[in-house]
Amino acid sequence: GVISEDELFSDYADFKKNYQAFSISDQELEIIAQWPASLKVDVFFGTWCHDSEREVPKLLKLLKANKHITPTLIALDYKKQDPEQSAKNHQVKYTPTIIIYKDSSKTEELGRIIERPRKSLVADINQLLQ
């Protein structure tokens, strides 16, 4: 189910270690700063999933560069389910699945990054915003 970044990092050392090890370029910082404050991000992931361990800490660090964007972290079990049925309602089949929405109503999905970005998280999200 929904988990805070603090809970994630205190309970799962590899996520915290990967977060601390990841660095953002100045160019990426400039791009992220231009993302709209209305942007909403849902992150469906597994603490047991190596793709999640790699991508989720990077995403969290990148989103920190835009203080207006706070992602919703939804931890899934091995069957990719959560108590709120959120993963089922969003047809999540792989972890991580990062869903980008235009605004807080979450009615307009701009797109998804599934398992790993095509180019990079910044490039892929930026492309969704175009």
Side-chain angles (χ1 to χ4, degrees):
V2 176
I3 182 174
S4 73
E5 190 176 303
D6 290 343
E7 288 174 290
L8 177 65
F9 291 155
S10 69
D11 294 349
Y12 301 95
D14 285 341
F15 281 83
K16 185 171 186 172
K17 182 180 67 153
N18 291 343
Y19 178 92
Q20 291 168 334
F22 181 66
S23 59
I24 306 169
S25 72
D26 290 342
Q27 183 184 8
E28 288 174 319
L29 285 171
E30 285 177 34
I31 293 168
I32 296 164
Q34 294 172 24
W35 290 350
S38 62
L39 198 71
K40 292 296 171 209
V41 181
D42 282 349
V43 184
F44 293 89
F45 72 101
T47 54
W48 42 267
C49 167
H50 65 278
D51 288 334
S52 294
E53 280 183 0
R54 182 188 63 244
E55 300 302 334
V56 173
K58 290 180 191 175
L59 177 70
L60 293 174
K61 194 159 207 177
L62 291 168
L63 293 178
K64 275 271 191 281
N66 184 321
K67 63 181 183 285
H68 302 290
I69 303 170
T70 305
T72 301
L73 298 172
I74 301 125
L76 306 178
D77 65 17
Y78 289 108
K79 294 179 181 175
K80 299 181 184 82
Q81 296 174 343
D82 62 294
E84 297 85 19
Q85 300 285 310
S86 199
K88 182 180 179 185
N89 295 338
H90 289 88
Q91 294 149 10
V92 172
K93 293 180 176 56
Y94 305 98
T95 54
T97 293
I98 301 160
I99 305 177
I100 310 298
Y101 300 96
K102 186 175 181 176
D103 57 41
S104 59
S105 67
K106 294 187 180 181
T107 51
E108 188 177 338
E109 183 179 313
L110 296 176
R112 296 176 179 215
I113 298 170
I114 299 171
E115 290 185 320
R116 66 180 58 228
R118 285 192 181 98
K119 290 181 186 163
S120 73
L121 287 167
V122 172
D124 287 14
I125 293 170
N126 216 40
Q127 187 175 2
L128 293 173
L129 292 170
Q130 301 305 320

